[in-house]
């Protein structure tokens, strides 16, 4: 689960990580009042959306008087901001963050995330921070420094110093970096984060380290014990299909193809998407209805994948181990009767009660293409989707 920048910076403040003074605003008037309250003569108005790349997309504006703050806020609020990290529809801006302007001498990059290969939390840093960090990582990966943190020892001072030297910091800045990195690590572990990213971490003209941007992702599996963070969820920033799926406890991820998939088990779902790709089709989603799927859940799942207007064909691929295939068939029939289905459906069912399931589907009056095996299912659904696309 992502947090907004202003929420992440509140957490930073509580952990003693230096951030500019700022206030969140939901209207242009509130933004102007925030600028007056903050004082000074330069402000930055920042669109609050769950995506980076705002700077290059007009979502971060410098303002030199209160009226400029007001008009920058008015220009962002109520619009959808499209950045390199959002879909073409963008994300709605319902709040802006008004911050005191900073005088930037250097822009660094700093983040903490889990290195899954090593099974350790990694502290990652670069002297080339700022809006082009993706390009730096791509073209000059040697400019990205990384250390892995031992879970028992925690972040050791020598490791932080090593990174500080690697960033070209010296003197008092090394000491500041050490305590900032330690505080970030404490925040990361206390709050069950899966990512905390500061880009840019700036060195100000006055020689201080300040977190100018803040991105936090909380491990959704830990939200049950992070009640204060769970309360910060902003569903307006989430994919509406994924939001509906989470209400039904379905593991669903939107993709941009046109073949909807309903599969039980994450491994089989991955294999199903691979097969579709192998046969030159494009999955519209990942969907794992789970091992213990009930007819109600299957109905909800089927309704969900059918509500995607891009879908040209559906593939149901179920291996009945714990789940009974006849229950899946009931769910599919219920859903189709409830919402109707205008696209071809290919079904591959194997395992517990598969025979009964096939009989139910055959007797339902629905036009369903039965498949014998995975490859056959993939071939058939790809061909049907291609036919649906043809004018
Ligand atoms: P992102 O593009 O979504 O990652 O948004 P950031 O918060 O990182 O802002 C993008 C860029 O705006 C930063 O890399 C800075 O160069 C610039 N910026 C942000 N705040 C200030 C500020 O207070 N003063 C100045 N001069 N530039 C700023
Ligand atoms: Mn940034």
């Amino acid at each position: 689960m992502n947090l907004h920048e202003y929420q992440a910076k509140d957490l930073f403040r509580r952990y003693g990580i230096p951030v500019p003074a700022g206030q969140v605003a939901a209207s242009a008037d509130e933004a102007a009042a925030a600028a007056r309250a903050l004082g000074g003569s330069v402000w930055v108005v920042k669109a609050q959306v769950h995506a980076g790349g705002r700077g290059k997309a007009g979502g971060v504006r410098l303002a030199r008087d209160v009226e400029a703050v007001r008009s920058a806020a008015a220009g962002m609020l109520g619009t959808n901001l499209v950045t390199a990290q959002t879909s073409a529809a963008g994300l709605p801006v319902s709040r802006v963050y008004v911050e005191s302007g900073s005088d930037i001498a250097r822009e660094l990059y700093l983040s903490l995330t889990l290195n899954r290969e090593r099974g350790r939390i990694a502290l990652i840093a670069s002297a080339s921070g700022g809006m082009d960090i993706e390009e730096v990582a791509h073209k000059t990966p040697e400019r990205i420094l990384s250390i892995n943190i031992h879970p028992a020892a925690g972040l050791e001072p020598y490791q932080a110093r090593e990174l500080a030297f690697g960033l070209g910091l010296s003197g008092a800045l090394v000491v500041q970096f050490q305590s900032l990195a330690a505080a970030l690590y404490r925040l990361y572990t206390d709050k069950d984060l899966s990512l905390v990213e500061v880009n840019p971490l700036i060195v100000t003209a006055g020689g201080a380290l300040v977190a100018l941007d803040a991105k936090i992702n909380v491990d959704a599996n830990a939200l049950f014990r992070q009640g204060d963070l769970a309360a910060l969820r902003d569903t307006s920033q989430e994919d509406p299909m994924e939001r509906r799926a989470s209400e039904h406890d379905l593991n669903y991820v939107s993709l941009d193809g046109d073949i909807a998939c309903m599969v039980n088990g994450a491994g089989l779902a991955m294999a199903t998407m691979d097969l579709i790709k192998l046969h030159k089709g494009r999955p519209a989603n990942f969907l794992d209805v789970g091992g213990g799927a009930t007819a109600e859940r299957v109905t909800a799942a089927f309704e969900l994948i059918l509500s995607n207007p891009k879908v040209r064909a559906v593939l149901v691929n179920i291996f009945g181990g714990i789940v009974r295939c006849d229950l899946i068939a009931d769910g599919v029939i219920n859903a189709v009767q409830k919402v109707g289905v205008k696209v071809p459906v290919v079904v591959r069912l194997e395992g517990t009660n598969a025979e009964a399931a096939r009989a139910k589907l055959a007797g339902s009056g629905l036009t369903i293409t039965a498949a014998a095996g995975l490859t056959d299912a993939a071939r058939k659904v790809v061909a049907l989707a291609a036919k649906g696309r043809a004018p």
Side-chain angles (χ1 to χ4, degrees), residues 7 39 66 71 119 132 136 159 179 185 195 275 310 318 327 370:
Q7 298 166 330
V66 171
S71 67
D132 294 315
V136 172
Q159 295 182 302
S179 69
Y185 179 69
L195 173 73
L275 268 173
K310 280 188 294 193
I318 302 291
L327 285 185

Side-chain angles (χ1 to χ4, degrees), residues 5 9 20 42-47 49 51-57 59-62 64 81 83 85 99-104 107 129-132 134 197-202 212-215:
E5 175 192 8
K9 282 181 170 168
V42 183
W43 299 270
V44 181
V45 180
K46 308 179 80 175
V49 290
R54 296 167 303 168
K56 289 186 174 176
V60 177
R61 292 203 187 278
L62 220 65
R64 298 192 182 274
L81 185 69
T83 83
Q85 297 182 14
E99 224 172 37
S100 297
S102 300
D103 203 349
I104 305 174
E107 294 197 339
M131 294 194 279
D132 294 315
E134 283 83 5
E197 186 181 70
V198 184
N199 185 37
L201 170 66
I202 60 163
L212 206 59
D213 194 5
K215 178 171 182 176

Side-chain angles (χ1 to χ4, degrees), residues 21-176:
Q23 280 185 23
V24 70
S27 68
D29 282 345
E30 272 180 40
R36 263 186 233 105
L38 289 166
S41 56
V42 183
W43 299 270
V44 181
V45 180
K46 308 179 80 175
Q48 297 300 288
V49 290
H50 285 182
R54 296 167 303 168
K56 289 186 174 176
V60 177
R61 292 203 187 278
L62 220 65
R64 298 192 182 274
D65 57 62
V66 171
E67 279 319 299
V69 169
R70 183 195 301 275
S71 67
M76 292 178 198
L77 288 164
T79 67
N80 271 27
L81 185 69
V82 180
T83 83
Q85 297 182 14
T86 66
S87 71
L91 288 170
V93 184
S94 57
R95 288 187 198 83
V96 294
Y97 192 51
V98 181
E99 224 172 37
S100 297
S102 300
D103 203 349
I104 305 174
R106 289 186 65 194
E107 294 197 339
L108 312 173
Y109 172 95
L110 186 65
S111 70
L112 277 161
T113 191
L114 180 64
N115 177 338
R116 289 170 194 274
E117 247 164 70
R118 299 288 306 274
R120 297 213 170 155
I121 296 166
L123 183 62
I124 301 163
S126 177
S128 316
M131 294 194 279
D132 294 315
I133 191 68
E134 283 83 5
E135 203 180 317
V136 172
H138 188 67
K139 292 195 176 146
T140 48
E142 69 280 2
R143 305 217 56 177
I144 310 279
L145 312 173
S146 163
I147 53 161
N148 294 311
I149 301 167
H150 191 281
L155 176 64
E156 300 197 68
Y158 83 88
Q159 295 182 302
R161 275 197 302 276
E162 218 172 80
L163 268 194
F165 296 141
L167 293 174
L169 301 177
S170 60
L173 282 172
V174 176
V175 182
Q176 286 181 41

